[in-house]
Structures are given as structure tokens and as C-alpha cells.
Amino acid sequence: MTLPRDINEDTHRGLGNVHTPAGYDWDDNLTKQWPTTPPNSIHKALQTYHSIQSFDTKRMEPNLSSSNTQPLLEEQPPTTTTKSRGKLALIPLVFLIFFEVSGGPYGEESAVGAAGPLWAILGFLIFPFIWSIPEALITAELATAFPGNGGFVIWAHQAFGPFWGSLMGSWKFLTGVLNLASYPVLCIDYLKLVFPVFSSGVPRYIAILVSTLVLSFLNYTGLAIVGYTAVTLGIVSLSPFLVLTLVSIPKIDPSRWISLGQKGVQKDWTLFFNTLFWNLNFWDSASTLAGEVEQPQKNFPIALLSAGVLTCLGYLVPLLAATGAIPLSQEDWTDGYFAYVAEMVAGKWLKFWMEAGACLSVIGLYEAQLSSCAYQVLGMADLGFLPQFFGMRSKWFNTPWVAILVSTVIALAGCYMDFADIISSVNFLYSLGMLLEFASFLWLRRKMPSIDRPFRVPMGLPGLIIMCLIPSVFLVYVMAVATRTVYMSHQKMKVELTGGTFCGTAKSE
């Protein structure tokens, strides 16, 4: 009697990891030669084959290091890829990644105030090569190899098992919702310049609440709508910087670019590196919605490259224009100073346009981050790390409404934290998650060297280790400068959320 070969001998049959009992040989004419009641592993393979095609388990490899290796098909998590309408196309994906990472030059001003024009320019020129590009390359490889909702949760789970998958999920989710909490605060901070009533007290709290709920409802209406909204917001929010650059060209003095800062102004390297870090991270966030993307194996690498070029140019070009066009007043270079540069260079009309663009950019940032958080929760529910209730979709829009609601509620609670604490907490948690992500990436290269990777970082394992080691050193630095308050609050949140996700993991096992 003949049975399918082990997946180690033939990884392209699409039937999963079916082990061959002793005495059986391979034959391509499977259906004619199976017994009336096939063995359990084959029976399960046939039952679930069509439901797992979208996750593409035919490209997986078994964990040979385990002494208790089970058929991979039995270990493989359920598919997290939807086949429904409203898939995310390439251009909306580019702008969602752009808003996950950047949203425009708003917020980079502090780098000049902390270290001077030259260091700021060098920072936004060099830092992408030692941080952003490695992170984007890792995301491109793993998102195309494991194209399902959940992203980095799937990667850690495949590399190290369910506990580490749930731990990655808890760290990254807290990073996302705390980052999410900062955007309504920023939006109201811009609005209070026009409407001072929102500066403090009950009106401010109500404004934060209403803006958060309205923005979350937009996310509820569908990922495709959010994607094309991001395209519009991106174009509108970047346009005043394009105008600023063009108007500044005749006034640029290149000698201002090489200034190390004003005499008597002390450099704040912690603020400088935190500003670079906050403005150039989160390249992996869009991986959590890979299951909602049209042709993710093809579109994700293109989208990451396009968003990377857009982001880097969006930071460097306005920075060169602004620092070269006006004399340096270093202490004035704080968040929002680009608007005053616009007024000095072109007039109040450009200042108002830039402030309006800042508000629109915040909306784009919120929508992109909420999408990432919601589809991460959906993916974790599909993978069995959370109860299935968290993966419920809307009947009208097919969006994960429970995940959106949970993310919104937690973000609302975070909105009333101090803004500086929010950013420090986000950086600390994000650093922990990225260290685990680097480790997952390297271990998957060693553990599953032969799986189909539509995009593959063109390096061997030693080169990849060096590529990951350099940003890892910086991650450790970011964690080291975190305040004790942030550390203690992180420990409390980590224990609470990890406990919940580990319970879900235990149930799935």
C-alpha cells in the first residue's frame, strides 16, 4: 500500500507534514491506493487542505529539534487570511506603512534643538541605514513567508513556540495602543492653538474622547476605506512641506547645514536619539494585516521600499530647506516649529496650511496604528492566543469590530497619561519586542532554511547576525535610558496582559 512521502522529502505536495509509516512507499496516484479509511494524519490533511491554502503551509518545515515532533499540519495555526472583499491594494498599503512609521516631518524639529542642524541632518541620513532598512528587510522577508494576520506574533510563534508568540503579542499590542493614545492628544494640542477652550479641563477631556471615537469609527468602516483615506491624508499633509521647500530654495545658505549648534546650548543626546527612534520605527506594524493585502508576497516588498523612500525624503528635504533658509535659533526648535519656519519663509498662509496638515497627519497616524492593533488582535484570536470572541468581524464592513473596540478603550485610558511618559513607554516596549523579533528572524533562518521566501534578504546567517546586532545595541540603549516609572508601569502591564494571553495559549494547546 502506498502513502504520501514525508514533507521533508517533498515540500510541494500541499498536503502538510504527513509522516510515512514503515512499509509504505510513495506513489503519485494517491487516491487509488489509499485504504478505505486513511490514517489519521492523512485524513486530517484532506479535511483541512483547502482551509489552509491561504496560509500556504506547503512552504513550512517541521521543527526537527523537538524530540516530540508532530505532523506540521497538526501544529500549524489556523489560517488568518481572509478571502472576502475589500482587500488592500498596493498604493493604500504604501501610505499605511508611511503613516505607521512617519506621517511626515512633524516632530523631527526636536532633533535640531537637541544637537544642532548638522547632527540632525546626519541622524536622518544615516539612522535609516542602521535601523530602518534592517527592520524593513526583516519585515519584507517574514511577511511574505508567513502572509497572515498577526505578523510578528506568527514569526515568534513559529520560531520559539506559543509562549513567545503570546509574549510578543502582549509587548507589541501595548506598544501599539500606547502609541495610539498619543495621537488624539497631539490633535487636540494643535486645535487648542485655534480654540483655546481645549487647553485644559473638561472641554479638553471631552474633545479627546469625541475625537478618539470618531476616528475609531472610520476604522470600523473598512480597511480599504482607511487605506485610500491614508493616501489622501498623506498627499495633503506633505504638500505644505513641498511648498516650503520650493519657497526656501532662493534663501538657502548651505553653511548653516554644518553648524554643530549654538554656543552655550547643551546637547541633549537622549532627546536626540529618542526623536530619531520615534520617527523612524514601526516598519513591522503593517505586517499584522498581511492577510488583508492583495498578493502580499508581491506587494509587501514593493510597498516597504516605496514607503521607505517617501519617509526618508519626507524627513530630509524639509529639514535641509528649513535649516538652510533661516538663521539658527536652536532653543526654538521644538515640536511644531516647522509652522513658524513656514511663516518666516512664506507668510501666515503657509503656517496655517502646515498646522492643518499636522492635524490631518495625526488622523492618518491614528488610523494606521489602530488598523495594525486591531488586526494583530484578530490574528492572535485566529491563532488561538486569545478567545475567538476577539476575532469577531462586522457583518456590514467585515472589520474586526471587537478588536477595534478593545484597542480604542485601552487607547482612551492612555490618552490621559503624560505625553512624555507615553513616548518613553512606547520606546521601551517596542525595544523589547524588536529584540525578540530579531531573534525570531535569525532562528527561523536556521530552523527553516528551505521554506519558500518570495523575498529573501540577500545575506548568509553571519551577515544577518551583524545586521541585527547593530540596531540591537541601540535598542538596549533606549531601554537603559527609560525612566524608573516607565519600567515599573511596563512590568505591571506586561504581567497583566501576558497572563491573559498565556491563558489563551494554554487553551489552544
Side-chain angles (χ1 to χ4, degrees):
M1 191 171 296
T2 58
L3 292 175
R5 218 181 305 176
D6 190 354
I7 193 74
N8 295 320
E9 302 175 49
D10 191 327
T11 59
H12 300 287
R13 295 291 179 178
L15 292 175
N17 185 13
V18 182
H19 290 276
T20 307
Y24 289 90
D25 296 319
W26 171 265
D27 190 286
D28 290 325
N29 193 9
L30 298 175
T31 57
K32 294 182 179 179
Q33 301 186 47
W34 278 338
T36 305
T37 304
N40 288 338
S41 60
I42 301 174
H43 182 65
K44 181 173 286 189
L46 292 172
Q47 283 183 320
T48 59
Y49 169 62
H50 293 291
S51 67
I52 64 173
Q53 278 183 323
S54 59
F55 193 81
D56 206 7
T57 54
K58 63 187 177 183
R59 296 186 283 107
M60 303 295 102
E61 286 187 346
N63 181 4
L64 299 179
S65 62
S66 172
S67 61
N68 187 26
T69 303
Q70 298 295 326
L72 180 62
L73 186 60
E74 298 178 15
E75 295 178 349
Q76 189 63 41
T79 178
T80 61
T81 305
T82 179
K83 296 183 180 181
S84 61
R85 66 188 186 280
K87 287 279 192 173
L88 196 62
L90 175 61
I91 298 301
L93 178 60
V94 170
F95 278 88
L96 278 178
I97 295 174
F98 169 71
F99 276 111
E100 293 278 8
V101 177
S102 169
Y106 308 98
E108 72 169 330
E109 300 99 326
S110 296
V112 179
L118 179 60
W119 285 110
I121 292 169
L122 290 176
F124 281 100
L125 182 64
I126 297 173
F127 196 72
F129 288 94
I130 64 175
W131 171 255
S132 300
I133 291 178
E135 186 183 4
L137 288 173
I138 290 171
T139 301
E141 177 170 318
L142 295 182
T144 54
F146 303 93
N149 293 331
F152 34 71
V153 179
I154 299 174
W155 311 340
H157 171 58
Q158 289 290 331
F160 302 118
F163 171 76
W164 292 100
S166 66
L167 194 63
M168 172 74 89
S170 67
W171 285 342
K172 290 283 193 172
F173 180 71
L174 284 173
T175 299
V177 292
L178 286 177
N179 201 34
L180 194 65
S182 67
Y183 299 135
V185 176
L186 283 174
C187 188
I188 300 305
D189 282 344
Y190 280 112
L191 287 177
K192 74 182 182 183
L193 299 175
V194 181
F195 305 103
V197 69
F198 295 141
S199 297
S200 61
V202 175
R204 178 178 176 82
Y205 295 145
I206 294 176
I208 290 174
L209 173 63
V210 172
S211 62
T212 301
L213 295 178
V214 170
L215 295 177
S216 294
F217 180 78
L218 175 60
N219 208 275
Y220 170 70
T221 60
L223 189 58
I225 293 175
V226 170
Y228 283 105
T229 300
V231 174
T232 303
L233 293 173
I235 294 172
V236 175
S237 61
L238 286 174
S239 57
F241 290 97
L242 177 60
V243 174
L244 172 65
T245 300
L246 295 175
V247 174
S248 298
I249 290 175
K251 304 179 181 181
I252 289 177
D253 179 359
S255 65
R256 292 169 177 159
W257 294 337
I258 60 175
S259 171
L260 295 173
Q262 289 179 305
K263 293 182 179 180
V265 178
Q266 187 175 3
K267 288 180 172 53
D268 187 344
W269 294 112
T270 299
L271 175 61
F272 175 73
F273 284 113
N274 271 334
T275 301
L276 293 176
F277 186 66
W278 193 54
N279 281 281
L280 289 166
N281 60 14
F282 289 95
W283 292 96
D284 59 339
S285 293
S287 68
T288 63
L289 42 87
E292 312 297 314
V293 175
E294 291 180 356
Q295 299 179 296
Q297 290 92 343
K298 174 185 176 182
N299 286 338
F300 244 99
I302 298 173
L304 284 164
L305 174 62
S306 303
V309 173
L310 182 62
T311 297
C312 292
L313 291 178
Y315 281 130
L316 272 173
V317 174
L319 182 61
L320 288 168
T323 55
I326 63 171
L328 178 62
S329 179
Q330 189 171 340
E331 292 182 344
D332 291 334
W333 278 87
T334 57
D335 290 342
Y337 189 64
F338 266 125
Y340 294 98
V341 175
E343 182 179 10
M344 287 184 279
V345 171
K348 285 186 177 294
W349 63 273
L350 187 56
K351 177 178 183 288
F352 293 146
W353 187 2
M354 193 162 290
E355 288 173 344
C359 290
L360 295 176
S361 175
V362 169
I363 294 173
L365 291 164
Y366 185 92
E367 297 300 336
Q369 188 66 68
L370 180 56
S371 297
S372 175
C373 292
Y375 283 94
Q376 180 192 332
V377 172
L378 172 66
M380 292 178 71
D382 289 344
L383 293 166
F385 293 150
L386 291 172
Q388 286 296 312
F389 170 76
F390 289 94
M392 291 182 63
R393 288 180 180 262
S394 165
K395 295 180 180 179
W396 294 280
F397 302 109
N398 199 41
T399 46
W401 69 271
V402 175
I404 291 172
L405 179 62
V406 170
S407 301
T408 300
V409 170
I410 298 176
L412 271 174
C415 284
Y416 302 103
M417 294 173 58
D418 178 74
F419 184 75
D421 288 342
I422 291 176
I423 300 307
S424 297
S425 298
V426 165
N427 285 348
F428 186 86
L429 288 164
Y430 186 79
S431 298
L432 286 174
M434 283 308 305
L435 289 172
L436 180 55
E437 188 171 311
F438 288 151
S440 300
F441 170 69
L442 295 173
W443 189 246
L444 285 170
R445 268 295 187 96
R446 183 180 185 277
K447 177 184 177 183
M448 301 180 178
S450 301
I451 65 170
D452 183 18
R453 290 172 166 87
F455 176 85
R456 186 182 184 93
V457 181
M459 294 183 189
L461 190 59
L464 295 176
I465 292 173
I466 295 173
M467 183 186 79
C468 294
L469 182 62
I470 296 173
S472 295
V473 172
F474 181 75
L475 289 171
V476 173
Y477 169 77
V478 170
M479 294 169 62
V481 299
T483 63
R484 184 176 183 274
T485 301
V486 170
Y487 178 79
M488 295 304 294
S489 63
H490 158 70
Q491 291 297 321
K492 181 179 179 181
M493 291 187 292
K494 181 182 72 174
V495 170
E496 290 174 353
L497 190 57
T498 303
T501 54
F502 186 69
C503 288
T505 303
K507 290 180 182 179
S508 69
E509 294 179 318

